[in-house]
Amino acid sequence: MKNRWISLAIGPLLFLICLALGGDNMQVRMIASVLWMLAWWIGGAIPVGVTALLPIILFPMLGILDLKATTANYANPVIYLFLGGFILGLAIEKWNLHKRIALNIINLSGEKPNRIILGSMLATALLSMWISNTATAVMMLPIGMSVVSLLGDKIKDGKAGRNFGITLMLGIAYSANIGGITTLIGTPPNLVLASIVSDSGLPPIDFSTWLIFALPLVIVLFTSTYLISTKVIFPIRLDKIEGIGTLIKQELKELGKLESGEKRVLIIMVSTALLWIFRAQLNKIEWLSTLSDTTIAILASVVLFVVPDTRSKEPLLKWQDTEKLPWGILLLFGGGISVAKGMEVTNIVELLGNWISQNSTPHVFVLVLIICALALFLTEVMSNVALVSVFIPVSFVIAQSFGLNEMQLAIPLTIAASCAFMFPISTPPNAIVFSSGYLKMGDMAKTGILLNIASIIIISIYCYWFIPYFF
């Protein structure tokens, strides 16, 4: 309780000190507001979604933005794209489609430890493309723990058994983080980028372009994560684990055959994905020219509340199912967009960007490398949504000052913000698997630091070479 009160006090204290020392001008007021929000986001004094509401209180009072302009940020179209993705994820979870997909992938892996880990990671990454990485990690954790428990005494005494348990748990967390990068709805930073790009008057990022661009990078990140974890940090010297196949088959048997509701959710999920992928082609049809990724997401959501399950005759989703929606993340999203807008109107973005430009190397690759490293290590201790909301507008100004395409810095910044591997506090999937009891802080930090370095290099090289071809 004492620590909580200290965490609560730090934010307002920094706010007042900044106002007292900085003088009375709009930029100081904005910086003071950001310091308050960052202090509460980092300290975790109150839920992140509640902290994200501070702009509605502070911005009108401080004259940064009026109430209408501030609250408009919480109704940004991209937030509704994310809402639609969340609702689709709820349906996938409700009808156990996610578990069936995961178990079938692991079932194909066989009984060799490394293949089991690879199968678990692949299942996690594929699911994280479509449902939140937090929900994916929650679903995969009990499956992973069931697999690990078959090792019995080896987990306690055998190094190989312990390495298997650690690597499987880490693989679930890291794959949940990496998999979300693949699609615009897979992780909040991607949608923050899409929103800021749209609001800046730049060509919008569509679902299919992002998917084609991000997929090869995700494959490389996924492969490097698997190899570093299983071959370098925690090598596993077990030839075969008897009983894994039986366990997975038993789980699949309990699920039974695809129910009608499950089939219909699968059809809606695949149809939504296809509409997202081929939207650019559909826009060429006159009466579909206004079709957007957000429209498709909301259409899928409405259909899920309309289409019934043939057995129960009830809709695939009911309103009470939405109690599980992460509403706080949607508020966090709106708060992040508000911060970005506030920094823009108070000219802080331009000033900060110009200062960095004057003190940075003009070489594009080195600049990308620095941006990646900054984003990745900062997101270890703060919300990645808050991070990208603040720094994407800054990256635009830096890019412009060097005569670069704005995307050349904004995209690596955004992707790096999803690659926090070192600490349980870095991302929800990290915290979820840490709760399993199979990991120590040192296990995650030791693996995470190598993955962080590898990710910075991989993201920088890939973005430096390929962004100009896609954006």
Side-chain angles (χ1 to χ4, degrees), residues 163-221:
N163 283 359
F164 175 78
I166 291 171
T167 310
L168 185 60
M169 293 298 112
L170 289 176
I172 289 171
Y174 296 160
S175 299
N177 293 330
I178 292 170
I181 297 170
T182 317
T183 64
L184 276 182
I185 65 164
T187 185
N190 291 0
L191 285 170
V192 172
L193 173 65
S195 173
I196 295 175
V197 166
S198 179
D199 289 347
S200 300
L202 297 169
I205 301 173
D206 62 69
F207 189 93
S208 57
T209 301
W210 182 269
L211 176 64
I212 296 168
F213 164 77
L215 185 58
L217 173 59
V218 167
I219 291 172
V220 175
L221 287 171

Side-chain angles (χ1 to χ4, degrees), residues 62 84 182 220 266 353 416 455-456 461:
L62 298 173
T182 317
V220 175
L266 179 60
S455 297
I456 290 168
I461 293 172

Side-chain angles (χ1 to χ4, degrees), residues 15 18-19 22-35 58-66 70 339 341-349 351:
F15 175 80
C18 185
L19 290 180
D24 186 21
N25 65 67
M26 200 70 71
Q27 291 164 343
V28 171
R29 294 176 201 169
M30 185 63 214
I31 293 171
S33 302
V34 171
L35 287 175
L58 296 176
F59 286 9
M61 289 176 59
L62 298 173
I64 296 169
L65 288 170
D66 63 34
T70 305
V339 168
K341 190 67 176 178
M343 293 185 71
E344 179 187 338
V345 299
T346 54
N347 210 33
I348 290 175
V349 169
L351 290 175

Side-chain angles (χ1 to χ4, degrees), residues 6-74:
I6 292 172
S7 296
L8 279 171
I10 289 174
L13 188 61
L14 287 173
F15 175 80
L16 294 173
I17 290 173
C18 185
L19 290 180
L21 298 179
D24 186 21
N25 65 67
M26 200 70 71
Q27 291 164 343
V28 171
R29 294 176 201 169
M30 185 63 214
I31 293 171
S33 302
V34 171
L35 287 175
W36 186 342
M37 294 178 72
L38 289 178
W40 278 7
W41 270 331
I42 294 171
I46 61 175
V48 290
V50 179
T51 300
L53 294 173
L54 281 177
I56 298 177
I57 302 169
L58 296 176
F59 286 9
M61 289 176 59
L62 298 173
I64 296 169
L65 288 170
D66 63 34
L67 184 61
K68 186 176 181 180
T70 305
T71 53
N73 296 312
Y74 295 80

